[in-house]
Structures are given as structure tokens and as C-alpha cells.
Amino acid sequence: MAKVLVAYGSKRGATAEIAEAIAAVLREPGHTVDCAEAGTVGALDGYDAVVLGSAVYMRRWRGDARHFLRKHRHALEELPLWIFSSGPVGDPAKDNDAWTEPRHTMRKAEQLGAREHVVFGGRVPAEPHGRIEQSMVENTPEQWRDRRDWDAISAWARGIAAQLPTAGARPAAA
Ligand SMILES: Cc1cc2nc3c(=O)[nH]c(=O)nc-3n(C[C@H](O)[C@H](O)[C@H](O)COP(=O)(O)O)c2cc1C
């Protein structure tokens, strides 16, 4: 079985919950999974694969997740890597790709050999802090305040699990 790191950048907890859900699915077949804030990860020694995700704020990933990509770039080049962003809230018909996935960061992830990068709907904070968050909540219709699709998240994680070794060998290179 593989040892997997699920690392995330999250300001208000929605992305952390997505990361935990991914970790839980990866544990089901028996993989060993650490789920941690990106900024707290020291080294990638001992991991067979990495999943990295971040909330998107003003078209950018959180700083700790961006820093993770830079800091661990040499190790990540050698490891299977999967990427997710958590962002869009509000009416899905109004989603704008330019705002949901930071292009520059995705380019870097691709250069490191990321197998996939996906976007999951996000959640506006349940208890907004400050005027910006408050107005964002007020301007987001209630049914679109939490767009995290747990079925889609689990399905994506199952796809990752299927690519990890079930016994012995490390995962095949991309
Ligand atoms: C001030 C603010 C700016 C945001 N900017 C973006 C954005 O540029 N693109 C996007 O897809 N989502 C944006 N969002 C939505 C957040 O990414 C979404 O709420 C996310 O799930 C928050 O994750 P977290 O709780 O882990 O911090 C923004 C939210 C706030 C409050």
C-alpha cells in the first residue's frame, strides 16, 4: 500500500474539509494517509504520492499552498501528484474559468508532472469575518453558498486510489 500526503491551503475551513474527505476515501483500501496544512509540512521523504489543494481567493491560491509547490518542487517532480482548487460559489451558470483556477500555478503544477488538476465548488464562510466576506455571503443565493459536491470529490479520490499500488511497489511514473 502507498503512503500518501494530502496537503491543503485553506483560510476558512472549506478546503480543509475537502482534503479530509479525499484522505478518508484514500484510506478505505488501506493506504496510509496524512492530511495536513501545506505550511506545516517539513519534507516529503517517505511519501509515495501527494495530493495538493487550495482555496482560491482573488484568482490566487493561498500562499502556503503556492509556497508548498515551490519548496517541494524537486521532490514533487519525482512523485505522482494530483491537484485540486476549491473556489466557485454562487450560481454555477455564472462561473468564470479565469477566476476558478489560477493559470500560473496550474502551469507550474503541470511542469512538475501533475497527473490532473481539478476545480471543486467552494463554500462561503458560514460565519463571515469583515465587510468583504459579509457582502459576499449576502450576494450569494443561499442554495449556492456551499457548492462542495461530495460525490464528485469522492469519485475523484477513488480515481486516485485506483492509481496507487495496492501492495509492495511504488506507483508507476506518470
Ligand atoms: C474575498 C473572497 C474572494 C474570493 N475569490 C475567489 C476567486 O477568485 N475564485 C474563486 O473561485 N473563489 C473565490 N472565493 C471563494 C472561495 O474560494 C471559497 O469560499 C472557498 O471554498 C474558501 O475556502 P476556505 O474556506 O478553505 O478558505 C472567494 C471568497 C472570498 C470570501
Side-chain angles (χ1 to χ4, degrees), residues 8-18 54-62 85-90 95-102 119-126 128-129 132-137 145-148:
Y8 59 86
S10 175
K11 185 178 181 190
R12 306 288 270 112
T15 312
E17 289 175 5
I18 293 173
S54 176
V56 179
Y57 283 87
M58 304 311 290
R59 300 169 75 156
R60 300 183 82 191
W61 262 23
R62 299 277 298 155
S85 299
S86 132
V89 290
D95 280 357
N96 178 344
D97 288 351
W99 281 79
T100 55
E101 235 192 359
V119 176
F120 295 123
R123 180 200 64 190
V124 289
H129 293 172
I132 293 175
E133 286 189 4
Q134 182 66 46
S135 79
M136 189 137 178
V137 170
R145 286 181 187 167
D146 187 348
R147 276 185 48 197
R148 292 171 301 169

Side-chain angles (χ1 to χ4, degrees), residues 5-11 15-16 19 36-41 44 50-57 59-73 76 81-86 102 104-106 108-109 112:
L5 173 67
V6 181
Y8 59 86
S10 175
K11 185 178 181 190
T15 312
E37 281 189 277
T40 67
V41 177
L44 302 187
V50 173
V51 181
L52 175 65
S54 176
V56 179
Y57 283 87
R59 300 169 75 156
R60 300 183 82 191
W61 262 23
R62 299 277 298 155
D64 54 352
R66 283 186 278 125
H67 181 67
F68 181 100
L69 268 188
R70 272 198 309 278
K71 176 179 167 187
H72 299 292
R73 62 188 180 281
L76 291 171
L81 172 66
W82 286 265
I83 299 282
F84 71 91
S85 299
S86 132
H104 183 63
T105 302
M106 292 310 117
K108 280 191 184 156
L112 295 175

